[in-house]
Amino acid sequence: MTFNFGAEASAREENNAALIAALDEENLSETESIWVLDVVHDAEHGRWIAALGDVGIAELSYRFVGGRVVLLTTWVDPAYRKNRVATELISRVLDEIREIGKKITIICPVVGEFIDRNPKYADLIDAVHPGAGAFPKREPAEGRHDDEPRTSVRKRDDVVTSTPCSNGPERP
């Protein structure tokens, strides 16, 4: 079996871009889709599934690592995008994680964007292991050069923290 890593990465980036763009479509404080969705926790396969009836239309995959929930990827069937499906799925998953008292590490950039736009969930992010997707990258401010270190500033519990942002792993 041959696996095309470049095509897989490209498809993943395209999916993330489409879902992030959909977050911009409407009022960001609104977290319900236009449908009545069931969100099912499929612990055996490490994912939450958003379903319309018996049809899965979206999923958020995860793994438990060191007592944290690591949120890996969000996927929405293209036919259901721009209908706030990802938004509702993510908000309901985060509510469930809050109920069980766990912290999260974010790999999925869609989840990072969602939390950036809905800061009531920011307290769920593990301070020691926030994850590569926790703090969305922003375009450089005018007058700043790309070689300057990027930081993401967050205010939590009246404390301002600054976290270095990474453009990915260092290459030799």
Side-chain angles (χ1 to χ4, degrees):
M1 179 172 147
T2 304
F3 190 78
N4 186 335
F5 289 103
E8 176 68 21
S10 177
R12 188 172 44 255
E13 285 182 20
E14 185 177 308
N15 176 62
N16 288 342
L19 294 177
I20 290 169
L23 291 175
D24 288 328
E25 290 294 316
E26 297 178 29
N27 179 349
L28 295 175
S29 65
E30 185 65 44
T31 58
E32 293 182 331
S33 70
I34 64 171
W35 296 293
V36 177
L37 298 175
D38 290 319
V39 175
V40 179
H41 185 190
D42 177 7
E44 182 179 340
H45 295 101
R47 63 187 177 173
W48 279 275
I49 301 170
L52 280 174
D54 62 351
V55 178
I57 62 170
E59 73 176 49
L60 174 53
S61 62
Y62 73 93
R63 296 291 178 267
F64 281 115
V65 177
R68 301 178 318 276
V69 181
V70 180
L71 301 173
L72 301 170
T73 61
T74 304
W75 173 85
V76 176
D77 183 314
Y80 296 95
R81 291 182 185 161
K82 297 188 179 184
N83 292 292
R84 308 204 57 79
V85 172
T87 302
E88 183 171 349
L89 173 62
I90 293 167
S91 70
R92 289 177 59 183
V93 165
L94 294 176
D95 288 340
E96 186 173 325
I97 292 169
R98 183 183 306 270
E99 284 179 21
I100 62 173
K102 297 286 186 185
K103 292 291 186 180
I104 61 173
T105 295
I106 304 168
I107 304 303
C108 177
V110 179
V111 174
E113 284 284 341
F114 175 85
I115 292 175
D116 192 51
R117 296 160 192 231
N118 296 276
K120 71 179 185 176
Y121 295 106
D123 65 310
L124 292 174
I125 299 172
D126 185 279
V128 177
H129 303 285
F135 305 108
K137 293 177 178 64
R138 301 287 178 219
E139 292 298 315
E142 193 171 317
R144 206 194 80 203
H145 301 289
D146 284 341
D147 58 347
E148 293 178 21
R150 296 180 184 186
T151 59
S152 176
V153 177
R154 292 272 189 241
K155 184 176 179 186
R156 283 185 317 167
D157 300 330
D158 298 323
V159 176
V160 176
T161 59
S162 178
T163 306
C165 294
S166 169
N167 290 331
E170 293 287 322
R171 303 235 190 263

